[in-house]
Amino acid sequence: MEESKLQATGPALSGGLSRSAYSLYAIELPSGQIEDLDALLKAKVDTQPAFLHQAVTLDASQIRHLEHLDFTKLKQICLDHHLHLVGLSGIVTEERVKILQDKNIPIVNSNRFARAREENLTPRIVTQTFEVKVPVEVKVPYEVKVPYEVRIPEPLKVITRPIRSGELISAPNNSVMIFGTVGMGARIVASHHIFIYGDLKGGELYAGNPRDNEDPGYTSALIHVTGSFDPALIAIAGNYQTAEDMENDPLAGPLASQKEDVVVSLKGKTLVYTRGKDFSLTNHSRML
């Protein structure tokens, strides 16, 4: 599908440049060690003739030192297995983008990594502080029952109102608890847990969010939604799924748009979706 086009004009030139969406195979290298690439292709590609002579990208999200990368050597390794390496994907920070640009290595990010890179661009947030002097009644004690006990390592940010569409709630070094609906396009970003006692209607939730490029994120983070579960994106410690991804997930798919408690946790790099009544913090700890 064509997205944009640069058309040549003038009597001597014709044609143009266009950007289109094409399906490419992505080579995932979980170890992050380039030395393992040849062995991976021998095991996964050489035994599958259907993959031969395909254009591919290399997911570089696990490769740490891009400045030492030999792209010419990588292309030759792929050619030895009848694959054509066109660029690197998984590049989500401006620092890593600049390293590859300086080395003239093409970047071919998927939609997923393009969205992650957009989240890392700064500045993007305008903060306003205001004081409201009106009587506010708070009923004490206020008890919330959840099906598990969570130790929150930092102060808890509590919001007792709906989160409107497009609004950003940021809780660095905190967990966040919301009593109200989270609207379409709203984003909740917390360094630890996210609890929503209301409907999630198309919002984006980022729990265990990394503080900087050196921080892997809080992998023990939980996301708990008690109302209708209909997110646009769910992320824990930088590992996430979009609404389209969840439709094909055997665990997340049946829970979408249902009025039932949903707890989302992380196992390795995989998001796990559990009904609240079936969730056990003991089992969650064993997965970590």
Side-chain angles (χ1 to χ4, degrees):
M1 178 182 298
E2 185 177 282
E3 298 176 356
S4 63
K5 178 176 290 186
L6 177 62
Q7 187 70 37
T9 60
L13 296 176
S14 62
L17 300 175
S18 64
R19 184 176 66 183
S20 302
Y22 295 100
S23 296
L24 297 175
Y25 287 104
I27 301 172
E28 296 182 358
L29 199 61
S31 68
Q33 301 297 320
I34 295 301
E35 294 77 8
D36 296 339
L37 178 61
D38 185 63
L40 176 66
L41 296 181
K42 285 180 181 178
K44 300 295 185 179
V45 175
D46 293 356
T47 58
Q48 300 290 333
F51 290 125
L52 300 182
H53 307 293
Q54 295 286 344
V56 298
T57 66
L58 176 61
D59 181 350
S61 58
Q62 302 299 318
I63 300 175
R64 299 188 60 182
H65 300 292
L66 295 181
E67 61 273 15
H68 303 313
L69 207 60
D70 187 339
F71 188 64
T72 301
K73 182 178 179 180
L74 292 178
K75 289 196 296 183
Q76 186 57 53
I77 292 174
C78 291
L79 281 174
D80 291 343
H81 297 274
H82 306 287
L83 296 176
H84 302 278
L85 182 63
V86 298
L88 302 187
S89 185
I91 310 301
V92 297
T93 67
E94 291 306 292
E95 178 184 3
R96 288 167 70 82
V97 167
K98 187 177 186 308
I99 290 174
L100 295 186
Q101 288 177 340
D102 291 344
K103 293 174 68 68
N104 293 319
I105 299 177
I107 300 171
V108 190
N109 269 346
S110 66
N111 288 339
R112 169 191 171 189
F113 290 121
R115 283 191 294 267
R117 179 183 171 192
E118 180 183 351
E119 289 299 323
N120 287 325
L121 292 177
T122 56
R124 288 168 49 88
I125 302 169
V126 176
T127 302
Q128 292 180 327
T129 302
F130 57 92
E131 182 179 0
V132 178
K133 295 182 178 180
V134 295
V136 178
E137 179 183 358
V138 178
K139 296 181 179 180
V140 179
Y142 191 93
E143 181 181 2
V144 177
K145 294 183 179 180
V146 296
Y148 50 88
E149 179 183 357
V150 177
R151 293 182 178 179
I152 300 175
E154 300 289 345
L156 177 65
K157 183 173 186 176
V158 179
I159 299 175
T160 56
R161 61 173 176 81
I163 307 302
R164 60 185 179 273
S165 298
E167 185 175 359
L168 170 66
I169 300 297
S170 181
N173 301 318
N174 281 16
S175 296
V176 62
M177 180 179 290
I178 297 171
F179 293 89
T181 297
V182 177
M184 178 72 70
R187 290 190 297 161
I188 315 299
V189 183
S191 296
H192 294 97
H193 310 288
I194 296 177
F195 307 94
I196 297 176
Y197 296 94
D199 294 334
L200 175 58
K201 297 182 177 180
E204 300 179 4
L205 307 183
Y206 300 83
N209 200 55
R211 297 177 179 85
D212 52 48
N213 294 337
E214 302 300 324
D215 181 15
Y218 183 50
T219 57
S220 297
L222 299 175
I223 295 174
H224 184 191
V225 179
T226 66
S228 179
F229 185 73
D230 190 16
L233 182 146
I234 291 286
I236 297 179
N239 302 276
Y240 56 92
Q241 286 185 317
T242 63
E244 294 83 358
D245 297 330
M246 290 179 226
E247 290 178 1
N248 300 318
D249 190 298
L251 296 178
L255 297 176
S257 301
Q258 298 298 311
K259 282 279 189 180
E260 185 172 11
D261 284 17
V262 176
V263 178
V264 187
S265 55
L266 187 65
K267 179 180 181 181
K269 293 182 177 296
T270 302
L271 295 177
V272 178
Y273 301 81
T274 310
R275 287 178 170 83
K277 63 182 180 180
D278 299 327
F279 182 79
S280 166
L281 194 61
T282 301
N283 292 338
H284 169 62
S285 300
R286 290 173 181 169
M287 293 191 306
L288 300 176

